[in-house]
Amino acid sequence: MPCFRCGARQTDPVRGASPWKRGVRADRQVLVCPGCQTAHDWADDLDRCAACASAALVCRLGEIECRDCGHTREAVRDGPSATGLVRSGPPPGDGGLSEEVAEALSRVLKRRFAG
Ligand SMILES: [Zn+2]
Ligand SMILES: [Zn+2]
């Protein structure tokens, strides 16, 4: 995921704590590169916690959670998620039954024409 401000891509992941900061913008998880963190207003573009106004938010499972106070709220702008599961029912038509019916029909027809 690139930096949401300048589009810089995260280079080789450093062991331990990453200098990149995570935040939430418009209910979506974003990353801020170390360079943009030096700008004094870098957090102004981020969503803030409704309880403590912290920008240290994480977005997961359709929820925005504040890492400072633990306040959570639902992510409203995430759009419809993959809830429409495709149902796989039995194949259309029951071969056994229609075969039986066809056989009975042919028997009736044969009898009628044989007479
Ligand atoms: Zn940046
Ligand atoms: Zn908070």
Side-chain angles (χ1 to χ4, degrees):
M1 197 193 298
C3 170
F4 85 98
R5 291 192 80 195
C6 67
R9 296 217 165 251
Q10 210 166 359
T11 49
D12 295 335
V14 192
R15 282 185 189 277
S18 168
W20 287 57
K21 275 195 194 299
R22 289 198 295 172
V24 172
R25 190 186 186 213
D27 285 358
R28 287 184 189 285
Q29 185 79 63
V30 294
L31 285 175
V32 190
C33 75
C36 285
Q37 287 170 40
T38 60
H40 69 279
D41 62 342
W42 69 270
D44 284 0
D45 293 328
L46 296 176
D47 287 2
R48 299 301 188 106
C49 171
C52 71
S54 166
L57 306 178
V58 285
C59 177
R60 60 175 171 224
L61 299 174
E63 280 191 336
I64 312 292
E65 182 183 332
C66 175
R67 286 192 292 166
D68 281 350
C69 73
H71 177 266
T72 59
R73 66 173 174 85
E74 216 173 303
V76 289
R77 279 185 240 176
D78 220 14
S81 51
T83 48
L85 294 172
V86 182
R87 285 195 183 191
S88 60
D94 193 327
L97 186 66
S98 54
E99 252 175 59
E100 247 179 90
V101 171
E103 210 178 303
L105 268 174
S106 70
R107 246 181 286 160
V108 170
L109 288 172
K110 263 184 214 164
R111 217 181 290 155
R112 187 177 290 175
F113 286 113

